[in-house]
Amino acid sequence: MNIGSVIAGIVGIVVGAKKLRDGVQDGASDGQARRRQLGRSPVKGRPSSSGNGVRYYHVNSLDQRIAFIVGQIKKGDSDRRIRALVLGLLQKKCGGKWCVPEKDWEGEVVVCFDAVRERVRYVRDHYSADLFQHPGTTLFEFHGADCDDFVIVLASMLRWIGFKIWMRVIRTVDAPDWNHIYLVVEIPPCRGKPLRRVALDASVDRPPGWEAPASMVTKEWIYTA
């Protein structure tokens, strides 16, 4: 099913129990992950009509919500504005040389992360619905996002320059169910065993590598796009 049409064709809204909305205030989880490969089968939902080009879906599982997020990330793969933004960041010169040297993989990740933090402010979603925005809309029009939209934006940027990304969903000690999502990126961006994986939670005012500490996390799920 097409996630599809959204406010003016750009924002998807999922109606149901409100989750993935509040973000994490402090803290890096490194507990045992339940790794699950997200399949390519279409998401099943029940869309309802609206008068503003918004499509609503009633969903019942975390897998369905992740499928919506992955769908928006993949929409970023065809948005030339996002690639132009990323290349513009990497083509900046410092004293006649590239500010980020070629093949400085960690430097490329940090530049993209910082650009998102500079351009997009954390704001919560609508009171009764999860909004999954097209990454181009978040970057170039709304400039506001919650944790799932930060994942969509940053994943779209990093995929344009070859990085493999994962999504980590967590449940914190004060939550009855999963309540936060952020990215994990593989460095270097090439096939084979990565040297390391770096957490990227752009929804909080923390540097790359920061994530909620193990003491805050009771459970986690790992997905890949």
Side-chain angles (χ1 to χ4, degrees), residues 160-180:
W160 265 117
I161 50 174
F163 285 93
K164 181 177 181 179
I165 55 92
W166 304 78
M167 292 165 286
R168 179 173 286 164
V169 181
I170 62 173
R171 182 178 72 195
T172 56
V173 293
D174 58 346
D177 203 348
W178 42 271
N179 62 326
H180 190 54

Side-chain angles (χ1 to χ4, degrees), residues 50 108 112 179:
S50 74
E108 292 183 358
C112 290
N179 62 326

Side-chain angles (χ1 to χ4, degrees), residues 90-173:
L90 298 181
Q91 290 166 353
K92 291 183 179 179
K93 292 284 187 80
C94 294
K97 296 184 178 180
W98 304 119
C99 296
V100 179
E102 294 172 320
K103 299 185 180 180
D104 178 358
W105 311 127
E106 186 167 352
E108 292 183 358
V109 169
V110 170
V111 163
C112 290
F113 181 92
D114 288 346
V116 171
R117 286 290 305 160
E118 179 182 348
R119 287 167 170 77
V120 183
R121 184 189 191 279
Y122 177 84
V123 292
R124 296 178 65 183
D125 273 345
H126 187 280
Y127 177 77
S128 62
D130 280 326
L131 281 68
F132 297 152
Q133 297 172 180
H134 186 293
T137 301
T138 300
L139 281 170
F140 306 115
E141 183 179 351
F142 288 172
H143 306 288
D146 69 347
C147 59
D148 44 64
D149 292 317
F150 274 108
V151 163
I152 291 167
V153 165
L154 192 52
S156 297
M157 293 173 67
L158 293 175
R159 279 166 61 98
W160 265 117
I161 50 174
F163 285 93
K164 181 177 181 179
I165 55 92
W166 304 78
M167 292 165 286
R168 179 173 286 164
V169 181
I170 62 173
R171 182 178 72 195
T172 56
V173 293

Side-chain angles (χ1 to χ4, degrees), residues 1 3 5-7 11 13 15 45-58:
M1 184 175 294
I3 304 171
S5 304
V6 288
I7 297 176
V11 179
I13 299 182
V15 177
R46 291 180 289 116
S48 59
S49 62
S50 74
N52 298 315
V54 179
R55 184 167 296 178
Y56 295 86
Y57 288 86
H58 295 269

Side-chain angles (χ1 to χ4, degrees), residues 179-200:
N179 62 326
H180 190 54
I181 184 172
Y182 57 93
L183 280 186
V184 178
V185 63
E186 291 192 354
I187 297 177
C190 57
R191 294 183 180 180
K193 187 176 181 180
L195 295 179
R196 62 195 183 103
R197 291 184 174 134
V198 178
L200 300 172

Side-chain angles (χ1 to χ4, degrees), residues 28-31 173 212-218:
S29 75
D30 196 18
V173 293
S215 60
M216 289 183 64
V217 180
T218 60

